[in-house]
Amino acid sequence: MTTTIATDLYPSRGATEVSVPRQDPVVWGAPGTPGPIAAGDLEAYERDGFLAVEQLITDDEVAVYRDELNRLVADPEIRADERSIIEPKSKEIRSVFEVHKISQLFAQLVRDERVVGRARQILGSDVYVHQSRINVKPGFGASGFYWHSDFETWHAEDGLPNMRTVSVSIALTENYDTNGGLMIMPGSHRTFLGCAGETPKDNYKKSLQMQDAGTPSDEALTKMASEYGIRLFTGRAGSATWFDCNAMHGSGDNITPFPRSNVFIVFNSVENEAVEPFSAPVRRPEFIGARDFTPVK
């Protein structure tokens, strides 16, 4: 029996930082394929690498999901679970991973056609959940997350071969321009930035609290920000931001009194199943990078 080794289109974690033009489509679905996203919005997503939706879920639904988030965060068993990531300074829960398997309510959200239908339309196939989590960013000092491309990590450490993955961040609280909102460099998804430096063993234990391996250089970020600019996403609870797996993005600290919480879902094409990591000694745990490729139905 022979083992097929996937070609590495996007080398990273080497001795030096490298910049590689994107080798994959941004929108994989055929033009005119029906779905929740209008043709003009799909073109904007292809150009910019993101799509903002003013109201993806209703106010009543927001209240239900926010109550569920609060319930999970307050549960001592959830806090003790390895899928919960603790804020280094406050010692409060920062994220809970694999939330669609922990909570029936969030499992229903993943299957909602307003959500999964958009993912299928962008990726041009059935999809599975590569990662899900709730993010809690309370006021008065919750830390941000440094600039990065998700695909760089998912490729290097999870083994996703191609850029056929899309994320959605659904706001469960108001996103102001002051409470540590999501920032994206429009158009940055068309260039892959391979970061320098080897991946430490069990890197995920540190990187989920503070990005280290897979962090772009100041010089590369300055060049990209000068070329692409930076877009800050604001919006009421119930709004959502869809963004390409290779979009350069980050968020600042939240030092305001106003919390910022969201549910974050990563859909990957069933035709882009994870293989062995391209630039890491071992795979990350399945609650971070799924190995169950069952399509969402």
Side-chain angles (χ1 to χ4, degrees):
M1 180 178 178
T2 59
T3 301
T4 301
I5 301 175
T7 302
D8 188 356
L9 298 176
Y10 304 104
S12 191
R13 312 287 173 97
T16 59
E17 195 171 56
V18 295
S19 180
V20 178
R22 185 188 185 106
Q23 306 296 306
D24 295 306
V26 178
V27 175
W28 291 73
T33 301
I37 307 175
D41 289 338
L42 206 56
E43 290 172 5
Y45 176 87
E46 184 170 30
R47 179 191 68 234
D48 298 328
F50 59 78
L51 172 65
V53 178
E54 290 186 5
Q55 186 176 38
L56 184 68
I57 59 176
T58 67
D59 292 345
D60 289 343
E61 290 171 315
V62 167
V64 170
Y65 291 122
R66 191 162 55 214
D67 285 347
E68 179 71 348
L69 179 148
N70 292 334
R71 182 189 71 81
L72 293 173
V73 171
D75 187 335
E77 291 187 9
I78 297 296
R79 181 183 176 85
D81 194 297
E82 66 172 344
R83 291 172 288 187
S84 294
I85 308 303
I86 307 302
E87 184 77 30
K89 294 180 180 178
S90 68
K91 304 304 179 183
E92 296 297 326
I93 288 180
R94 176 191 182 112
S95 301
V96 179
F97 280 79
E98 215 169 44
V99 71
H100 71 296
K101 292 189 175 181
I102 294 174
S103 163
Q104 184 58 39
L105 279 172
F106 285 116
Q108 292 172 7
L109 181 62
V110 164
R111 296 192 299 267
D112 192 306
E113 188 60 26
R114 293 169 296 179
V115 178
V116 70
R118 283 177 165 85
R120 293 192 191 107
Q121 193 176 0
I122 290 169
L123 301 180
S125 69
D126 278 335
V127 298
Y128 70 92
V129 177
H130 177 69
Q131 185 186 105
S132 75
R133 65 180 188 262
I134 48 173
N135 292 325
V136 184
K137 206 169 192 179
F140 300 117
S143 57
F145 214 81
Y146 200 68
W147 291 104
H148 64 286
S149 154
D150 287 329
F151 180 76
E152 193 278 338
T153 296
W154 298 339
H155 182 71
E157 300 185 40
D158 296 340
L160 294 191
N162 297 99
M163 295 180 183
R164 198 170 180 179
T165 314
V166 63
S167 301
V168 59
S169 174
I170 304 172
L172 299 182
T173 54
E174 184 91 9
N175 282 248
Y176 301 103
D177 58 3
T178 53
N179 65 341
L182 175 68
M183 296 181 287
I184 298 179
M185 297 184 186
S188 60
H189 62 304
R190 295 193 173 277
T191 301
F192 175 75
L193 191 64
C195 299
E198 293 184 356
T199 308
K201 185 179 180 180
D202 290 340
N203 178 55
Y204 77 93
K205 292 180 180 178
K206 181 179 179 182
S207 68
L208 295 179
Q209 293 180 328
M210 184 176 295
Q211 189 82 354
D212 189 6
T215 301
S217 68
D218 291 352
E219 292 78 13
L221 289 171
T222 300
K223 181 179 179 181
M224 294 182 81
S226 299
E227 180 177 355
Y228 301 119
I230 297 172
R231 166 81 183 270
L232 170 66
F233 291 85
T234 59
R236 64 197 300 270
S239 63
T241 306
W242 293 83
F243 59 101
D244 180 82
C245 59
N246 191 46
M248 189 63 67
H249 65 288
S251 64
D253 295 350
N254 181 13
I255 62 172
T256 75
F258 310 114
R260 177 181 172 265
S261 298
N262 69 300
V263 54
F264 183 80
I265 308 163
V266 180
F267 293 102
N268 188 40
S269 169
V270 295
E271 299 172 11
N272 189 42
E273 292 182 359
V275 294
E276 289 305 305
F278 287 88
S279 304
V282 294
R283 304 173 182 174
R284 297 195 298 175
E286 291 194 24
F287 69 83
I288 301 172
R291 294 282 160 171
D292 178 357
F293 310 129
T294 305
V296 176
K297 296 294 186 183

